Amino acid sequence: MIPTQYSETTTIIPRPAYEVYSHGCRLNIIDEQRFKEEVQVRPGIRQKYFNTTSYIYPESSRRRYKSSIQFIPGLKTKHYTSTVYTFPKWAQRTYSSAVKHRDAETLKWYKCSVQMEAKDFVSIKLIQVS
């Protein structure tokens, strides 16, 4: 292939400066709640086990009684409260504005092209015949 034409072009495009303005508003509905919890405890002992045993002897008027209580140390709940304070809903507004500025610029585009022409080749091969 043989090149028949070759060209090179350059395109210059000036772009002007521009500004983009944007405005917005955001609205939040705030539902506020506060919680208060209180637990009052007092130290003391708790009953774990209670047992009463009676021993009666046969053919006798004697009797024996035994009572036992087993305690464990611990905390007893005296008072427990849980309070929820709910406040009225209110709106919180946020306003925002923005300006986006772009400077002027120049765009350059380069283009190269080559046109090719096909060429026929002929080859001859000799063959010996014996």
Side-chain angles (χ1 to χ4, degrees), residues 10-125:
T10 304
T11 306
I12 298 174
I13 302 171
R15 293 184 69 183
Y18 65 93
E19 294 178 347
V20 177
Y21 296 93
S22 63
H23 308 282
C25 176
R26 186 172 135 190
L27 178 68
N28 288 339
I29 305 295
I30 297 176
D31 182 17
E32 194 172 350
Q33 290 184 343
R34 292 187 184 162
F35 301 94
K36 178 184 175 185
E37 294 183 359
E38 182 180 351
V39 178
Q40 292 179 359
V41 293
R42 62 183 161 103
I45 55 173
R46 294 185 295 171
Q47 179 181 340
K48 180 180 178 185
Y49 181 78
F50 176 77
N51 187 18
T52 301
T53 308
S54 301
Y55 296 103
I56 301 173
Y57 298 105
E59 299 178 14
S60 174
S61 60
R62 290 183 59 201
R63 290 186 181 172
R64 186 172 151 205
Y65 299 99
K66 180 181 177 187
S67 295
S68 64
I69 300 174
Q70 185 177 5
F71 293 100
I72 57 171
L75 299 174
K76 284 188 174 181
T77 305
K78 183 178 178 182
H79 181 70
Y80 175 77
T81 60
S82 179
T83 309
V84 178
Y85 298 100
T86 304
F87 298 98
K89 293 181 180 180
W90 58 284
Q92 179 185 24
R93 290 180 182 88
T94 306
Y95 298 98
S96 64
S97 297
V99 177
K100 184 178 180 183
H101 178 76
R102 296 224 23 185
D103 292 332
E105 60 183 348
T106 302
L107 297 177
K108 294 180 183 178
W109 294 31
Y110 298 100
K111 179 182 173 184
C112 297
S113 63
V114 177
Q115 288 185 357
M116 308 287 275
E117 183 181 303
K119 184 177 179 185
D120 293 334
F121 290 97
V122 179
S123 64
I124 299 173
K125 186 174 184 183

